[in-house]
Amino acid sequence: MRALRLDDEPIVTYDEPEPAPNPDEALIALRLAGICQTDQELARGYAGFRGIMGHEFGGELLTDAGPWQAGQRVVGEINITCGQCDFCLAGIPGHCRQRAVLGIHSYPGAFADRLRLPVRNLHAVPDAIPDEVAVFTEPFAAALQVLEMAAIHPAHRVFLIGAGKLGLLAAQVLRRTGCDLAIIARQSRPIELLRRWGISWLDAREEGWLKAVYRRSAHVVIDCTGNAEGFATALELVRPRGTIVLKSTYAGLPQIDLSRVAVDEVSVVGSRCGPFEAALRIIPEVDVQSMIERIYPLDEALTAFEHATHRGVLKVLLRP
Amino acid sequence: MRALRLDDEPIVTYDEPEPAPNPDEALIALRLAGICQTDQELARGYAGFRGIMGHEFGGELLTDAGPWQAGQRVVGEINITCGQCDFCLAGIPGHCRQRAVLGIHSYPGAFADRLRLPVRNLHAVPDAIPDEVAVFTEPFAAALQVLEMAAIHPAHRVFLIGAGKLGLLAAQVLRRTGCDLAIIARQSRPIELLRRWGISWLDAREEGWLKAVYRRSAHVVIDCTGNAEGFATALELVRPRGTIVLKSTYAGLPQIDLSRVAVDEVSVVGSRCGPFEAALRIIPEVDVQSMIERIYPLDEALTAFEHATHRGVLKVLLRP
C-alpha cells in the first residue's frame, strides 16, 4: 500500500506492507488525514520517531469491529495504552507509562491507505459530520482540553497567543465560553478568519500592539506559539494568580522567568490530548472547513508536507 | 538610631533618622529580626533595593495603635498596599499594583532599633508565643502558603527539594497533612533536624539517591532551591497531572523543559507570602526554635549577615 514514512527524511513509499491488526485492533481504510505541526517537528528529529507518520485521520472500518460493522466511519484516539499501569488505573490513560502514540511514538501512523488501531480507541462519526470535519476531531479535542485544564469564566479576560491551526481551533472553543477574548496573531490568513468569525484579535506585527492596559490583565493566557518569546509575552499579559495554559511543545529548553511565576503566584499548566466524545458533540457548531488550505492526494504527500511548513498556511489534508 | 542599611553594600549605621509614622502607621520597637535568603539576594543586587533591610521581625508598640496599647507585642505583614487598585479589591492585596514591601521594595525595613508599619499590617502576638518563635511568623506564613496554592491530600506522595530555612518550615507544614513526604537535602545540619523531627529525607549528596521508583511518582513537588537544577529535579519527580510549587525566586532566567510541562500536563504554581493569622495559630505546634543558628546584637549585624551566607547555616537573628 501507499504510505508517507519518516526514515531519515519523509518519503512516499508504494510497497509498504499491509497492517496486520492484533485481535483487539480494527483495520481501517483512510478517508482523510491532516498534517499537524507535530508532524513537522517529528521530521526535524523531535522524539526520534521512525515509521509511517500521521495521527489526525478519519477512516472507515474494513471489517466488523467491536460494536460497529464494516463501513462505519470512525475517528481514533492516538494514545495506545496498556490499561494496567498506575496512570491508566488512575484515570489518566493518556499518560500511560507504556503508551505508544499513533504516528508519533512506536506505532505506525495514519498517512497510508490503511491503518490499524485498538477498537477501544475508536469513536463512530455521526452521519451529519462530513469527512472534511471529522478529520479535525483530534486537534479539536486537543483545543477543548484547554477547558479541562483551566476554568474559564464569562467574566474572565483571556488572551490566546499564536493563531496557527491549533490556535484557531482553541479560539473557537474559547469564544463559546463568553469570556473577554483576544487572539494575538501575526499572519493575514488567520486574521481574516478571526474577522469572519467575529473574534477579536491583536496584530502582533504592529508596533505598540501590547498596550499598557493589557499588561497583567488576563485571568488566563493560552500560549500556542511553542517558543520562548510567546511564553514571555504570556507572562507579560497574565495577572497575579492567573493561569498560563501551554498548548504546544517548545524547541529545546527555553529560558523563562520562573521568579515572575513565583512572585506573581501564576499557574503554568500543560495541556495535551483532549476528549473525543465532547469534540464530536461540539465540532458541528464551529467552523473547521474554512481552515482547510488544500487537499492533496496521498501520492503527493511530500508536496503537501512541504506546503504545510509555510507560515500562515492553514490545514493541509491528504486523501487516499 | 542603629540600622543595617543596604547602600552599595550592607553597612551598619548609628545615626539613621528615627522613623516618622504616617497617621495610619504604628511606631514599633524591634525585639528580634531574622535574616532571610531574600536579604542576601537583595545585597547581591536583586530588585535594586536601597535602604534599611529586613522584613522578618517581632516588635513591640511604642504608642497605642488601632485596637492595641503601647507595649503590645506584634508581628507585621510585609506588603504595604493601596487598598484601591483592582488587585486589592479582588482580594489579593499582596499583589497590589502600587505595593511597597518592608525592607524589599520602596519601604524601610526592620533591621533597626525602631520601624514603622501600617496598623492594618499588624497582628498581636499571643503571650504564649515567645519572641524567638514570633520572629518566624513571616517565613512560616510563607511556608503555609504552599497549602493555599496546592491541595495536598493524605494519600499524596510529596517531595520537597531544598532543606534551607524556608524548606525546613515547609517540611513541618507538609508533615501535618499526613502525606507520604520526603525532603531532598544536601546539608548535614538540616538532615539532623529532619531526623529529630521524624521526617523522611533523601541525601542528594549520595550517588544514585534518585531511584527509578521516585521518577514521575509525586503528586506534588515543592521546589525550595531557587535554581534551575532544582526545578529540573522537580520535573523528574512529578507525575503527569501533578503539581510543582515554586517556593523561591530564581537567579536570572533558568532554562527549563517547558515541553515536558506541556506533554505531562503538569501544573507549575508560584507561591509567595502567606496567611499571618493561620501562622500565629499553628506556629506553637511546630519546632522553630531548633532552627535558630545564633542571635547577634544589632551592632554586629554585618558579622551576622556574613554568617548567614554560609550554606547549611540555619536562622541567624538580630536583637537590638
Side-chain angles (χ1 to χ4, degrees):
Chain A
M1 66 175 187
R2 295 170 300 172
L4 178 65
R5 288 185 56 88
L6 179 61
D7 288 334
D8 286 335
E9 55 186 26
I11 57 158
V12 171
T13 170
Y14 287 82
D15 53 3
E16 184 72 25
E18 291 288 328
N22 295 323
D24 66 337
E25 291 180 330
L27 184 64
I28 303 157
L30 182 68
R31 291 176 69 102
L32 212 49
I35 298 175
C36 167
Q37 183 68 29
T38 303
D39 297 317
Q40 289 155 29
E41 285 167 22
L42 291 171
R44 284 187 223 107
Y46 172 71
F49 179 73
R50 289 287 178 273
I52 302 175
M53 307 183 77
H55 59 278
E56 299 180 3
F57 79 97
E60 143 183 356
L61 292 176
L62 282 167
T63 54
D64 296 355
W68 303 297
Q69 297 187 313
Q72 172 68 51
R73 289 187 310 137
V74 293
V75 290
E77 303 199 37
I78 70 175
N79 295 293
I80 295 92
T81 62
C82 75
Q84 294 173 345
C85 73
D86 52 346
F87 298 151
C88 282
L89 297 176
I92 48 172
H95 297 285
C96 170
R97 286 183 190 264
Q98 274 85 45
R99 76 176 180 270
V101 188
L102 181 69
I104 293 177
H105 178 64
S106 302
Y107 203 93
F111 295 162
D113 284 309
R114 284 165 291 283
L115 65 147
R116 62 185 170 94
L117 205 60
V119 173
R120 70 161 178 266
N121 283 44
L122 301 180
H123 297 262
V125 177
D127 291 342
I129 298 182
D131 291 339
E132 291 75 9
V133 173
V135 71
F136 283 91
T137 305
E138 195 278 336
F140 188 67
L144 283 173
Q145 187 69 357
V146 170
L147 302 186
E148 296 282 336
M149 301 308 288
I152 296 181
H153 301 174
H156 282 173
R157 170 173 281 198
V158 176
F159 290 103
L160 182 150
I161 311 176
K165 299 177 283 287
L166 191 56
L168 288 171
L169 293 172
Q172 295 189 79
V173 164
L174 291 165
R175 103 86 68 83
R176 290 169 58 94
T177 67
C179 69
D180 175 13
L181 175 66
I183 314 301
I184 295 156
R186 286 182 170 275
Q187 304 288 334
S188 303
R189 296 283 306 286
I191 288 176
E192 202 176 290
L193 275 181
L194 293 168
R195 182 186 285 122
R196 196 200 304 170
W197 292 337
I199 295 175
S200 299
W201 78 92
L202 298 165
D203 189 335
R205 294 168 300 190
E206 289 174 9
E207 194 75 26
W209 71 269
L210 206 174
K211 294 183 191 156
V213 294
Y214 300 149
R215 286 182 201 278
R216 305 179 89 214
S217 73
H219 298 77
V220 180
V221 183
I222 296 93
D223 182 15
C224 294
T225 67
N227 61 55
E229 188 193 348
F231 187 83
T233 303
L235 264 181
E236 292 283 313
L237 295 169
V238 74
R239 57 190 262 154
R241 296 273 179 102
T243 300
I244 297 174
V245 181
L246 307 182
K247 200 55 258 186
S248 52
T249 54
Y250 294 75
L253 299 179
Q255 286 192 289
I256 79 158
D257 189 351
L258 269 192
S259 296
R260 176 77 170 265
V261 174
V263 170
D264 277 355
E265 299 190 315
V266 169
S267 294
V268 179
V269 184
S271 167
R272 192 169 157 262
C273 299
F276 266 54
E277 285 297 337
L280 286 165
R281 188 165 62 241
I282 301 169
I283 205 167
E285 301 171 16
V286 300
D287 175 18
V288 295
Q289 293 196 67
S290 298
M291 289 176 55
I292 299 174
E293 179 82 30
R294 190 162 157 187
I295 302 179
Y296 286 87
L298 193 51
D299 307 80
E300 295 174 28
L302 284 182
T303 311
F305 206 78
E306 202 280 329
H307 188 176
T309 60
H310 294 282
R311 288 194 67 155
V313 161
L314 300 176
K315 183 61 79 179
V316 175
L317 300 177
L318 298 172
R319 184 147 27 211
Chain B
M1 67 175 187
R2 293 170 301 172
L4 178 64
R5 288 184 57 89
L6 179 61
D7 288 335
D8 287 335
E9 54 186 27
I11 57 158
V12 171
T13 170
Y14 287 82
D15 53 2
E16 184 72 25
E18 291 289 328
N22 295 321
D24 67 337
E25 292 180 330
L27 184 65
I28 302 157
L30 182 69
R31 291 175 70 102
L32 212 50
I35 298 174
C36 166
Q37 183 68 27
T38 302
D39 297 316
Q40 289 155 29
E41 285 166 23
L42 291 170
R44 285 187 222 110
Y46 172 70
F49 178 72
R50 289 287 178 275
I52 302 173
M53 307 183 77
H55 59 277
E56 298 180 3
F57 80 96
E60 147 184 352
L61 293 175
L62 282 167
T63 54
D64 296 356
W68 302 297
Q69 297 187 314
Q72 170 70 52
R73 288 187 309 138
V74 293
V75 289
E77 302 199 38
I78 70 174
N79 295 291
I80 295 93
T81 62
C82 74
Q84 293 172 346
C85 73
D86 51 346
F87 298 150
C88 281
L89 297 176
I92 48 171
H95 297 285
C96 170
R97 286 184 191 265
Q98 274 85 47
R99 75 175 180 271
V101 186
L102 180 70
I104 293 176
H105 178 62
S106 303
Y107 203 93
F111 294 161
D113 284 310
R114 283 165 290 283
L115 65 146
R116 62 184 170 94
L117 205 59
V119 172
R120 70 160 176 266
N121 283 43
L122 301 180
H123 297 261
V125 176
D127 291 342
I129 299 182
D131 291 338
E132 291 76 9
V133 173
V135 71
F136 283 91
T137 305
E138 195 279 334
F140 188 67
L144 283 174
Q145 187 69 359
V146 169
L147 301 187
E148 297 282 337
M149 303 307 289
I152 296 180
H153 301 174
H156 282 173
R157 170 173 279 196
V158 176
F159 289 103
L160 181 151
I161 311 175
K165 298 177 284 287
L166 191 55
L168 288 171
L169 293 172
Q172 294 188 81
V173 164
L174 291 166
R175 103 84 68 82
R176 291 170 57 95
T177 69
C179 68
D180 175 12
L181 174 66
I183 314 301
I184 295 156
R186 286 184 169 278
Q187 304 289 333
S188 304
R189 295 283 306 285
I191 287 176
E192 202 175 290
L193 274 180
L194 292 168
R195 181 185 288 122
R196 196 199 306 171
W197 293 336
I199 296 175
S200 298
W201 78 92
L202 298 166
D203 189 336
R205 294 168 299 191
E206 288 173 10
E207 195 73 26
W209 71 269
L210 206 174
K211 294 183 193 157
V213 294
Y214 301 150
R215 287 183 201 277
R216 305 179 88 214
S217 73
H219 298 78
V220 180
V221 183
I222 296 92
D223 182 15
C224 294
T225 66
N227 61 55
E229 189 193 348
F231 187 83
T233 303
L235 264 181
E236 292 283 315
L237 295 169
V238 75
R239 58 190 261 153
R241 296 275 179 100
T243 300
I244 298 174
V245 180
L246 307 181
K247 199 55 258 186
S248 52
T249 54
Y250 294 75
L253 299 179
Q255 286 193 289
I256 79 157
D257 189 351
L258 270 191
S259 297
R260 176 77 171 264
V261 174
V263 170
D264 276 355
E265 302 191 312
V266 168
S267 294
V268 180
V269 184
S271 167
R272 193 169 157 262
C273 300
F276 267 54
E277 286 296 337
L280 286 165
R281 188 167 61 243
I282 301 168
I283 206 167
E285 301 171 16
V286 300
D287 174 18
V288 295
Q289 293 195 68
S290 298
M291 290 176 55
I292 298 173
E293 180 81 30
R294 188 161 157 187
I295 303 178
Y296 286 87
L298 193 50
D299 306 81
E300 295 175 29
L302 285 184
T303 310
F305 206 78
E306 203 279 329
H307 188 177
T309 60
H310 295 280
R311 289 193 67 155
V313 161
L314 300 175
K315 183 62 80 180
V316 174
L317 300 176
L318 298 171
R319 180 140 41 205

